[in-house]
Amino acid sequence: MKFRWSLAPPQPDRAVQLAASLNIPPLLAQCLLNRGLSEPASIAGFLQPRLKQLADPFLLPNMGAAVERLLQARERNEPLVIFGDYDVDGVTSTALLLDVLRPLGWNVQYYLPNRMDEGYGLSQDGVENCLAKFPVTLLFAVDCGSNAVASIASLRQRSIDVIVLDHHQVCSPAPDATALVNPQLGLPPTPPFVELCSAGLAFKLAHALVKRGRDMGLPGAAEFDLRPLLDLVALGTIADIVPLTGENRILVTAGLERLNATQRPGLIALKRVAQSPTSLGTYEVGFQLAPRLNAAGRLETAEGALRLLLARDLAEALPIAQALDAHNRERQKIERGISEEVIASLHARFNPLTDFVIVEGQLPWHIGVVGIVAARVLQQFYRPTIILGGDGAQFRGSGRSIAGFDLAAALRQCDDLLVRHGGHAMAAGVTLQADSLIAFRARLNELARSALKSEELHPPLRLDAEVRLDAMTLEHLGILDRLKPTGQGNPAVQFFARNLTLQRPPQRMGADKQHLKLWITDGATTHEAVWWAAGNEPLPAPRFDLAFAPQVNDYNNRRTVQLKVLDWRPAQ
């Protein structure tokens, strides 16, 4: 798959002005401009995120009503149950709320649905099983419920109040919850909150509860410290791939500091089994810790992941972490098998001119890993992709999308073909009858043909600037690190350099010799470069332009600049 190089518009005059006013290099100023930051005040806040910059949690829609109903339950000693979700965002949100509510005097239990038996979200089956175990009059749905009109209506008819704390798109009409705390409602004033995931919203609710509790003299509220909860917020936010801008940037910056120094036994054990480095960043959280927490919910129930986060000591936590690690290895094996089957099948019949959306389903495919398979297929073919597995007579699965195609909105236009659906613009879950699969695929392709331009079907390669190789020094990379934490919405820096050559022949690396080490030169400066998964791709031409991500290679106590190859083209 060749990329469509997309260079951010150079703004040299504005970059020089910002560099002078903020005492930063012009290259950093250009990268900030590329991320929509052009005013010194907003840039100063971005480069120095602080918890004191967080907005008042009561500005969130219906937060006041949720807090009042929770306080009422505490006053009455009325039991409540948190109905969570089985992904990392749902599990960390549930753990965070338990860590707040229990010490402050609430009588609270939790219930996590089983992906296989009860399906996605606040399903009727999940609710019935939850109430059979915990017959309460207050149900607190976390990271789900924004589309559960029927389930919530049924609960209200039985005199059970429902609080929903969620960030997924809300259906119309919205569920008739006692309090629906969701920034996607679009009620003013919510702009600071629209990108929060449920872990971030759980922290906002905890802040609101403690704030109101202090005002009314609630025992324990005055001395309650919210900051130790930030390790969970960072974990849930990074895992849910929400934009690391605004409040998320503040929460993740502070949360990573907490995570790196965490005293939470479950996270200490998880870092140990994942063999994580001493200092964790967004990559290590997203690709080492999160998959192990997710693995439990993908294959069975997320109960183990939640018990790990709530573990009281390392002796309790370590066996759980080891079991999650084993689950993750099993998940990888299942996922790899399905991915290879889907990709081989598509290579034989994929038509890039007519196939705008990929929808593939087989009843034997494990529904716990289809979302990861969808992401892998998208990576190969760059099309919105939905992969479905078997759930009895029905198909159930997950989708991933590309820029320009709102998957959740498209699913709403397929409502007559679906049993259930919900999610975001870029990721969604869906359930349908097996005999609706062909019509569903056709409808989605029709919608995508109307929505997507031909150039949007070629993956863009976002580039921050053209640079000279001598600009890639350890000192400059240290300055560019001020953009961290990077991720969705605040991508890691990517540059390109022109008219390069190979200083010497490439060297194959790895067990299967799939990776390449290159030595790149412009005649004056030479840098080592690594091309992961190069396989049998053609080597760079005699003279070429190189797109790369700069990084620091820390090996044998020696730190050097290394370029991660993204793409190359003949010199232009």
Side-chain angles (χ1 to χ4, degrees), residues 174-358:
D176 183 27
T178 308
L180 173 55
V181 183
N182 187 325
Q184 306 300 332
L185 280 170
L187 303 175
T190 57
F193 311 120
V194 290
E195 306 294 1
L196 289 173
C197 66
S198 293
L201 290 171
F203 185 81
K204 301 297 285 191
L205 185 134
H207 184 195
L209 265 181
V210 169
K211 189 175 183 181
R212 183 63 54 82
R214 288 171 180 168
D215 290 343
M216 59 188 289
L218 188 76
E223 58 271 24
F224 194 91
D225 187 359
L226 292 165
R227 290 171 298 178
L229 304 170
L230 288 164
D231 55 359
L232 297 176
V233 180
L235 191 48
T237 301
I238 294 167
D240 223 47
I241 321 180
V242 290
L244 298 188
T245 56
E247 297 227 332
N248 283 337
R249 178 173 174 81
I250 298 168
L251 292 168
V252 168
T253 301
L256 283 172
E257 289 181 16
R258 288 277 166 177
L259 192 54
N260 279 305
T262 188
Q263 296 303 303
R264 193 180 296 273
L267 292 182
I268 294 171
L270 188 63
K271 289 196 283 185
R272 185 179 296 180
V273 299
Q275 299 180 353
S276 297
T278 306
S279 179
L280 298 177
T282 51
Y283 175 85
E284 290 77 18
V285 173
F287 289 92
Q288 294 180 3
L289 304 190
R292 287 168 169 82
L293 284 174
N294 254 333
R298 289 191 182 282
L299 300 184
E300 293 177 5
T301 169
E303 186 86 18
L306 183 55
R307 285 193 296 109
L308 178 71
L309 297 180
L310 299 175
R312 292 160 296 181
D313 53 49
L314 206 54
E316 179 186 357
L318 202 52
I320 304 173
Q322 290 165 339
L324 291 177
D325 188 52
H327 276 307
N328 191 51
R329 287 195 297 274
E330 182 185 355
R331 185 270 306 168
Q332 289 172 326
K333 182 179 176 183
I334 295 169
E335 169 216 320
R336 192 160 45 245
I338 298 173
S339 294
E340 289 171 356
E341 184 179 345
V342 175
I343 290 169
S345 172
L346 286 170
H347 273 309
R349 54 187 170 79
F350 175 73
N351 185 338
L353 299 178
T354 58
D355 294 332
F356 278 60
V357 179
I358 292 170

Side-chain angles (χ1 to χ4, degrees), residues 73-75 77-78 80 100-108 218-219:
R74 186 191 180 282
E75 184 182 343
N77 196 29
E78 175 188 8
L80 70 130
V100 174
L101 295 174
R102 283 174 171 170
L104 289 177
W106 270 267
N107 179 359
V108 56
L218 188 76

Side-chain angles (χ1 to χ4, degrees), residues 500-513:
L500 308 176
T501 60
L502 294 176
Q503 189 206 44
R504 54 173 136 151
Q507 176 184 319
R508 290 273 174 188
M509 303 186 300
D512 299 322
K513 305 298 182 185

Side-chain angles (χ1 to χ4, degrees), residues 73-89:
R74 186 191 180 282
E75 184 182 343
R76 298 171 176 171
N77 196 29
E78 175 188 8
L80 70 130
V81 63
I82 296 172
F83 188 104
D85 194 25
Y86 40 64
D87 67 1
V88 177
D89 189 27

Side-chain angles (χ1 to χ4, degrees), residues 361-388:
Q362 294 287 340
L363 289 175
W365 290 347
H366 198 298
I367 59 176
V369 302
V370 289
I372 309 174
V373 174
R376 290 198 180 281
V377 173
L378 185 151
Q379 195 174 27
Q380 284 264 341
F381 295 91
Y382 201 69
R383 293 292 188 274
T385 300
I386 294 178
I387 303 296
L388 303 155

